[in-house]
Amino acid sequence: MLKTGVAYHDVRSIRHVREDLEDMAAHHCNLVVHTFSETDLSFYTRAMREIVRMSKDLGLEVYIDPWGVGGIFGGEALSAFIGNHLDERQITASGKSVPAACMNSDGFRAFMKLWIETAAEIGADVAFWDEPHFYTGDWTGGQRSWACRCQTCQKLFEQKCGRSMPHRLESDVVEFREATVVNFFTQLCEHARTCGLKNALCVLPEQDTLHGVTQWETLAAIPALDIFGTDPYWGIFGKPLESYCREKTREAKRLCDKYGRELQMWVQAFLIQEGKEDEVMQAAEFLYDEGARNIAAWSYGGGGCMVVRSENAEKVWENLGKVFGKLHKR
């Protein structure tokens, strides 16, 4: 069965959300990725429970996304955790405390378990782990520097490697950081599964040392993972549309085939320039041609009402519906 859908983060007004969900169904979506930020967790849990119920009533499978939670997941949402728990933040190699939670922090791991339990309570089907990454500063206008070198990470590194953690991003530091990400998500996926959720992981398309994972395979191999994929957003990464979509789909599919995961690939449907709206249709077809049968787009309505809204968002959304309908017929 082909799965097609979009991410949704627009509003929490039940009346307006209902209209948007019906619009998704009319655009041939059968899944929705609802963002569930720290603000949602604190103030909109009751509304989110109703939104999830409405989504399912319309035949939409519900993924739930820790959008911007702790500053380590993708998304523009702000994190209160990193403001209220300064001792749980990542520390750069230069000794600066930065707006991102440390993945080795017991406090943050406990907070994420609460997030998982609440996501399950409101009725979600899948925990969607969205672009996990270490802080680097390049996305927030800060100084580009690696993290985390907090006291907890230094202690764990010394126990593992038998020496003090250096200030340079040496090979054993890279290995330690990657092991941190794998351990963190192994724990989260296991907890989500005990709460009745499936696990989907979307990794960044570029495998680099600064953002934390140079080998996707270490994450694709997590036993409690069900769905694996990436988001080859050609426009924001400045890549050739066809080759980027095809190559990244092949890389992800190889790992899904090896470890028995469902492949999910993402289409860029935000920040699309005027006159390039057809690219979203081309991208979806390239992903499908390379074997993806779970294809989602970020985000609803061509970027919603945020600063990342496409220049002609209505056309982007129209084209997305067209290609989803075409792929379902195929």
Side-chain angles (χ1 to χ4, degrees):
M1 172 183 164
L2 176 64
K3 298 180 182 179
T4 50
V6 289
Y8 185 79
H9 51 64
D10 285 33
V11 296
R12 295 296 178 250
S13 167
I14 302 301
R15 176 168 58 87
H16 292 297
V17 174
R18 186 187 302 277
E19 294 176 358
D20 291 344
L21 293 172
E22 291 171 349
D23 189 32
M24 291 177 205
H27 282 72
H28 307 285
C29 294
N30 54 18
L31 74 83
V32 58
V33 179
H34 283 303
T35 58
F36 191 50
S37 68
E38 292 183 40
T39 300
D40 292 319
L41 179 65
S42 297
F43 304 110
Y44 294 99
T45 300
R46 186 169 64 179
M48 288 301 299
R49 183 179 289 108
E50 180 65 13
I51 288 169
V52 169
R53 185 195 63 77
M54 289 192 303
S55 301
K56 291 186 173 184
D57 287 347
L58 286 167
L60 299 171
E61 183 179 17
V62 176
Y63 289 47
I64 202 84
D65 179 348
W67 198 44
V69 171
I72 68 163
F73 295 101
E76 292 79 9
L78 299 178
S79 169
F81 181 90
I82 56 179
N84 294 329
H85 301 85
L86 300 180
D87 55 342
E88 311 283 352
R89 287 159 59 113
Q90 291 183 35
I91 305 295
T92 67
S94 60
K96 180 181 178 181
S97 174
V98 291
C102 174
M103 284 181 256
N104 280 318
S105 157
D106 289 338
F108 183 58
R109 291 191 180 206
F111 180 77
M112 287 307 306
K113 287 184 176 180
L114 171 64
W115 183 93
I116 290 168
E117 290 160 9
T118 309
E121 288 171 4
I122 64 175
D125 301 304
V126 181
F128 177 69
W129 306 115
D130 185 2
E131 295 183 337
H133 58 276
F134 281 97
Y135 178 88
T136 66
D138 52 352
W139 290 349
T140 57
Q143 183 178 1
R144 190 174 171 89
S145 178
W146 70 268
C148 175
R149 200 175 178 278
C150 69
Q151 291 298 316
T152 298
C153 286
Q154 288 189 54
K155 181 179 179 180
L156 292 172
F157 178 87
E158 187 167 355
Q159 290 174 355
K160 178 180 176 65
C161 300
R163 68 178 182 119
S164 298
M165 193 178 214
H167 288 82
R168 296 178 58 186
L169 195 58
E170 298 175 6
S171 59
D172 52 357
V173 178
V174 172
E175 292 175 6
F176 172 80
R177 280 162 36 102
E178 294 202 11
T180 292
V181 177
V182 173
N183 178 269
F184 179 70
F185 280 100
T186 297
Q187 188 177 101
L188 295 192
C189 287
E190 289 174 350
H191 191 65
R193 181 166 284 187
T194 64
C195 293
L197 296 170
K198 289 185 177 180
N199 288 288
L201 175 62
C202 177
V203 294
L204 289 164
E206 297 300 308
Q207 301 175 59
D208 65 79
T209 56
L210 272 180
H211 289 101
V213 179
T214 59
Q215 298 293 326
W216 287 351
E217 186 161 2
T218 58
L219 289 169
I222 291 174
L225 188 65
D226 302 285
I227 302 161
F228 178 82
T230 188
D231 46 9
Y233 296 154
W234 65 95
I236 61 172
F237 285 103
K239 302 290 186 177
L241 170 62
E242 180 172 3
S243 61
Y244 200 53
C245 287
R246 290 190 183 278
E247 289 169 9
K248 295 302 177 181
T249 306
R250 290 171 190 160
E251 289 179 36
K253 186 176 186 302
R254 178 183 64 81
L255 294 173
C256 287
D257 291 344
K258 180 175 180 179
Y259 292 102
R261 312 293 181 233
E262 179 182 348
L263 172 66
Q264 182 183 55
M265 295 298 295
W266 283 79
V267 173
Q268 179 183 338
F270 65 97
L271 288 179
I272 299 296
Q273 297 176 359
E274 183 82 35
K276 294 187 176 182
E277 295 82 11
D278 287 353
E279 290 186 353
V280 299
M281 294 192 290
Q282 296 168 25
E285 295 221 47
F286 295 147
L287 304 181
Y288 183 92
D289 289 344
E290 295 298 333
R293 295 298 181 268
N294 184 331
I295 300 173
W298 197 284
S299 56
Y300 171 72
C305 53
M306 297 190 68
V307 67
V308 296
R309 181 179 174 87
S310 299
E311 291 180 3
N312 188 340
E314 291 76 15
K315 184 66 174 177
V316 169
W317 180 229
E318 177 187 345
N319 284 355
L320 200 59
K322 285 181 180 178
V323 73
F324 282 172
K326 180 180 180 180
L327 294 180
H328 278 286
K329 289 180 181 179
R330 286 179 62 178

